[in-house]
Amino acid sequence: MREVAFIKQNKEKWLNFEKTIYNNQFKNPDTLSSLYIQLMNDLAYAQTYYPKSKTISYLNQLASAAFQRIYRTKREKTNRFISFWKTEVPLIVYQFRRYVLYAFLIFGTFVTIGAVSAAYDDSFVRLILGDGYVNTTLENIEKGDPVAIYKSGGNFGMFIGITLNNLYVGIKSFLFGVFGGIGTGYVLMINGIMLGSFQYFFHEQGVLWESVRGIWIHGAMEIFAIVIEGAAGLLLGASILFPKTYSRMASFKMGLKNGIKILISTFPFTFAAGFLEGFVTRYSDSMPNWLSVGIILITLSAISYYYLIYPFIVNKKLRAHVATV
């Protein structure tokens, strides 16, 4: 069957399904699951016979949206708060996983630019980090404590200050997505260049390992969360630029709603990073290597699992559930 005939044959069904999904017009989850199975059959057919068609992208989007609706209308009773973290956010992350990839690529690119720029221009680090920070850190390195700056101030005060600042950066990164994602890209650029030049500075001073085992105690979750918040901002920007079959306003509302949920999901990690920076990082120089490295690996593994692995597990389980309905 030619693709034009395939689309013509199923167009009305898909549009009705789309209306059912986004306007919550279904009466029970069994009906929705039945429609979903039909949609998956159409998607499989399109993937087989029209592998380069935009129809696949459209059907994938509908299928992903159906995943979330099916879960919400399951007859089993679940706590709304728990289901948000356990299922809803992972499914949204899975649906828009390409924006997570884009955010990591953008951020990684600017981290590299920051490091290379610092390597070829001695004044670059001072331009990015400021003379005050660089001079203080150089003094601390001479005293044998490269991360002494994290010992300034009280534990609780630093925890609150750092956490509020990181929340501000994350929210700004998301909201700046309204400028077609360019604003979010700018925030990722600034933070990426800062991180790259920052780490190269310690490398140049011969204390890279000391900085890593200290700073990344809180930095693993802090930096990862910023990238995920950037992904939410890119999603918001894409919803404005590429509305697809929806009106631009309807697409924006969906992008805003899903982006906010991704943003909120990063807050616990941001609070955890702030706590570690305020109460743990300052003692990194007196910790044995196994402890500091262990904390870094645990925190990095936790946030990586939630955003990079767990969404695929939830998606697989939901597919299995739908198949048995």
Side-chain angles (χ1 to χ4, degrees), residues 3-310:
E3 184 179 5
V4 174
F6 174 70
I7 294 174
K8 184 176 181 180
Q9 176 179 305
N10 295 285
K11 181 178 180 180
E12 185 176 352
K13 178 180 63 177
W14 297 340
L15 291 176
N16 288 334
F17 185 71
E18 183 177 327
K19 185 183 298 183
T20 297
I21 288 294
Y22 292 108
N23 294 332
N24 293 318
Q25 293 180 347
F26 52 86
K27 296 181 179 180
N28 62 70
D30 293 339
T31 300
L32 179 59
S33 296
S34 177
L35 291 172
Y36 170 77
I37 292 172
Q38 294 179 42
L39 179 66
M40 291 305 294
N41 289 334
D42 292 339
L43 176 58
Y45 186 91
Q47 290 173 330
T48 301
Y49 295 102
Y50 322 114
K52 297 182 179 180
S53 172
K54 293 182 179 180
T55 303
I56 294 176
S57 176
Y58 170 73
L59 294 178
N60 261 321
Q61 185 175 15
L62 280 184
S64 297
F67 288 166
Q68 298 179 51
R69 298 303 191 278
I70 291 170
Y71 177 81
R72 291 175 190 171
T73 54
K74 283 168 63 178
R75 291 173 180 173
E76 60 189 61
K77 295 180 179 179
T78 56
N79 183 287
R80 182 68 183 85
F81 179 80
I82 293 176
S83 68
F84 175 81
W85 301 100
K86 185 178 179 181
T87 304
E88 190 171 352
V89 169
L91 286 176
I92 293 174
V93 172
Y94 177 84
Q95 180 180 352
F96 300 106
R97 58 193 180 279
R98 63 185 179 279
Y99 296 109
V100 175
L101 173 61
Y102 299 157
F104 271 105
L105 291 175
I106 292 171
F107 187 76
T109 297
F110 285 112
V111 168
T112 302
I113 291 174
V116 172
S117 298
Y120 285 92
D121 185 349
D122 294 337
S123 64
F124 186 77
V125 173
R126 291 182 177 274
L127 175 66
I128 298 300
L129 301 178
D131 289 329
Y133 180 88
V134 172
N135 292 335
T136 300
T137 302
L138 287 173
E139 292 175 4
N140 292 333
I141 291 174
E142 291 180 2
K143 296 176 183 177
D145 192 358
V147 294
I149 198 166
Y150 294 98
K151 298 179 182 180
S152 60
N155 300 68
F156 188 75
M158 176 171 280
F159 162 54
I160 295 299
I162 291 297
T163 299
L164 291 177
N165 178 72
N166 290 341
L167 288 173
Y168 168 73
V169 172
I171 293 172
K172 180 174 70 173
S173 180
F174 169 64
L175 292 179
F176 276 20
V178 298
F179 301 109
I182 295 177
T184 297
Y186 174 77
V187 175
L188 290 174
M189 178 189 73
I190 294 299
N191 285 276
I193 290 177
M194 186 180 297
L195 176 61
S197 60
F198 175 76
Q199 287 290 213
Y200 185 83
F201 169 66
F202 283 103
H203 166 70
E204 189 176 42
Q205 299 303 315
V207 290
L208 178 62
W209 171 243
E210 289 80 357
S211 73
V212 168
R213 67 186 294 269
I215 296 167
W216 286 92
I217 285 177
H218 63 269
M221 286 196 291
E222 178 183 298
I223 297 301
F224 204 116
I226 288 175
V227 176
I228 297 300
E229 290 153 354
L234 294 177
L235 166 60
L236 180 61
S239 71
I240 299 172
L241 295 177
F242 311 109
K244 297 183 179 179
T245 60
Y246 314 104
S247 68
R248 200 169 300 276
M249 180 55 68
S251 177
F252 170 70
K253 288 180 179 178
M254 287 188 289
L256 180 64
K257 184 177 181 180
N258 287 320
I260 287 176
K261 290 178 180 179
I262 294 175
L263 173 67
I264 291 174
S265 75
T266 66
F267 289 173
F269 296 105
T270 300
F271 277 102
F275 175 84
L276 289 171
E277 186 166 357
F279 291 91
V280 180
T281 298
R282 63 180 61 222
Y283 303 113
S284 63
D285 63 325
S286 59
M287 289 182 186
N289 282 337
W290 66 265
L291 181 56
S292 57
V293 172
I295 294 173
I296 293 170
L297 291 178
I298 290 172
T299 54
L300 181 59
S301 297
I303 193 169
S304 297
Y305 176 80
Y306 187 72
Y307 288 107
L308 302 183
I309 299 174
Y310 187 58

